[in-house]
Amino acid sequence: MAALKLSFLDLATVERESTVASALAHSVRLAQTAEAGGYERIWYAEHHNMPTIASSSPAVLIAHIASQTERIGLGSGGVMLPNHSPLVVAEQFGTLAELHPGRIHLGLGRAPGTDGATFQALRRTVQAADAFPNDVLELQAYLGSDLPLTGVNAYPGRGTNVPITILGSSLFGANLAAQLGLPYSFASHFAPQALTAAVQHYRANYQPSAQHPEPYVSAGVNVIAAENDEAARQLFARAELERIRAFLSRGRDVPLTIEQAEAIRDTPAATEIRSMMRYTAVGGPERVREQLAGFAKLADADELVTVHPAPTRDEQLESLRHGAPGA
């Protein structure tokens, strides 16, 4: 049986009372740690107008991380295609592929990755999401080798065949990925509800393509790994509270304290937030390996995209190390 492939999703999180520059420097450390630990690849997600997330430009961030690492795969998890023209995305990732052959991956999402006002500031319309399937096909064509009927080519981009993955948290993405014969990645690390239904639909309806004769599934999973099981359980409790505090502080002039978050831990709103972390591996290295193997079987996944939501940067680095494939 083939070894389970583990990847890592990095949001380039900006800590309270810290800076974007510090967050990006930490992303370099995370990437180097993931490379040393045997992770398959790292994904960077496009978000906008979020002061705690510094990954708004995945292509730029990937270029920097690639220059600071040697071999680990680097991809967008994802580029929100309704925010961009397919030609520009092809040129960006085609450039990356030419600079770092064999290392670049392109994950595509249909959501805007932001709020309505910011979506307008991006000069996009709500109808852009409806064009997602056609935009994926157009982007594929720019990255392929066939001469387009329009006479428009992506330079760089043409002939690079950058691998494309469809991201999603519903049956829409699963169905599109199946129809186009593309890998599918499910965001079960924060939207666990439709995981099994989406993966089953994808595999049952998969149409083989030249690049991908077989279906390929990756699934998101949270990981809180530490030196031993008890330390990991304590870390997970703190991570839960931090997530409650962060989510329920949105829109407030004064953010909640951890003590306030603990006081409302069992309220309906907080319980719903905690349920987002349904799929979380918690423990020392051995226990985490067992839990990840169990989740991979449940999700019918070929690869797991791990997210390490430890409360501090040092603890996140340690979780990445203890949860590594070779740990």
Side-chain angles (χ1 to χ4, degrees):
M1 181 178 177
L4 178 62
K5 295 179 180 179
L6 296 185
S7 293
F8 168 56
L9 173 65
D10 179 16
L11 296 177
T13 304
V14 182
E15 289 186 318
R16 281 178 290 171
E17 301 179 3
S18 187
T19 64
V20 168
S22 178
L24 298 177
H26 180 61
S27 287
V28 172
R29 290 192 292 272
L30 287 170
Q32 292 169 342
T33 299
E35 184 169 73
Y39 285 84
E40 189 79 6
R41 47 190 164 181
I42 308 170
W43 299 99
Y44 299 96
E46 176 186 348
H47 292 280
H48 299 280
N49 197 29
M50 296 184 182
T52 59
I53 295 179
S55 58
S56 59
S57 300
V60 177
L61 184 53
I62 288 169
H64 178 60
I65 299 296
S67 72
Q68 303 296 309
T69 52
E70 296 179 2
R71 60 189 178 278
I72 194 167
L74 300 167
S76 61
V79 161
M80 301 296 105
L81 194 51
N83 296 345
H84 311 278
S85 95
L87 176 60
V88 169
V89 175
E91 290 170 341
Q92 290 174 346
F93 280 79
T95 301
L96 289 169
E98 295 287 3
L99 290 170
H100 308 283
R103 296 182 62 191
I104 305 303
H105 306 266
L106 179 52
L108 301 174
R110 185 171 67 116
T114 188
D115 57 86
T118 307
F119 192 58
Q120 290 181 348
L122 289 165
R123 299 297 189 267
R124 309 300 285 175
T125 66
V126 292
Q127 289 76 27
D130 297 334
F132 182 67
N134 288 331
D135 284 350
V136 173
L137 291 172
E138 184 179 345
L139 177 54
Q140 276 188 298
Y142 287 135
L143 295 171
S145 300
D146 293 340
L147 285 171
L149 297 176
T150 61
V152 177
N153 284 279
Y155 297 121
R158 185 178 171 209
T160 57
N161 292 299
V162 176
I164 290 175
T165 296
I166 300 296
L167 280 61
S169 57
S170 69
L171 291 180
F172 178 91
N175 190 59
L176 179 64
Q179 288 181 350
L180 299 183
L182 291 172
Y184 179 56
S185 186
F186 192 90
S188 37
H189 58 291
F190 72 88
Q193 294 83 358
L195 169 63
T196 53
V199 172
Q200 287 171 5
H201 180 87
Y202 168 74
R203 289 195 179 277
N205 294 279
Y206 189 76
Q207 301 295 312
S209 62
Q211 267 190 300
H212 306 283
E214 300 291 334
Y216 189 89
V217 173
S218 56
V221 58
N222 298 289
V223 175
I224 299 288
E227 190 174 49
N228 56 63
D229 292 352
E230 180 55 32
R233 281 191 289 269
Q234 293 178 15
L235 198 58
F236 176 67
R238 289 173 48 221
E240 265 197 332
L241 286 178
E242 178 57 34
R243 176 165 290 206
I244 292 168
R245 186 205 66 76
F247 271 73
L248 297 184
S249 290
R250 291 176 179 175
R252 297 171 62 99
D253 292 335
V254 180
L256 294 174
T257 65
I258 286 295
E259 291 74 21
Q260 289 171 324
E262 189 168 15
I264 61 173
R265 183 180 181 276
D266 296 318
T267 62
T271 299
E272 183 175 352
I273 293 167
R274 289 164 55 203
S275 72
M276 295 168 65
M277 298 180 71
R278 179 196 307 175
Y279 297 125
T280 303
V282 181
E286 184 175 351
R287 183 168 179 80
V288 163
R289 277 198 301 272
E290 292 172 356
Q291 292 177 341
L292 291 179
F295 174 71
K297 185 175 181 179
L298 170 72
D300 196 10
D302 303 288
E303 175 183 337
L304 299 184
V305 182
T306 64
V307 183
H308 295 257
T312 71
R313 287 178 178 164
D314 287 344
E315 289 166 334
Q316 185 187 35
L317 272 172
E318 284 304 300
S319 182
L320 194 66
R321 289 191 184 103
H322 289 302

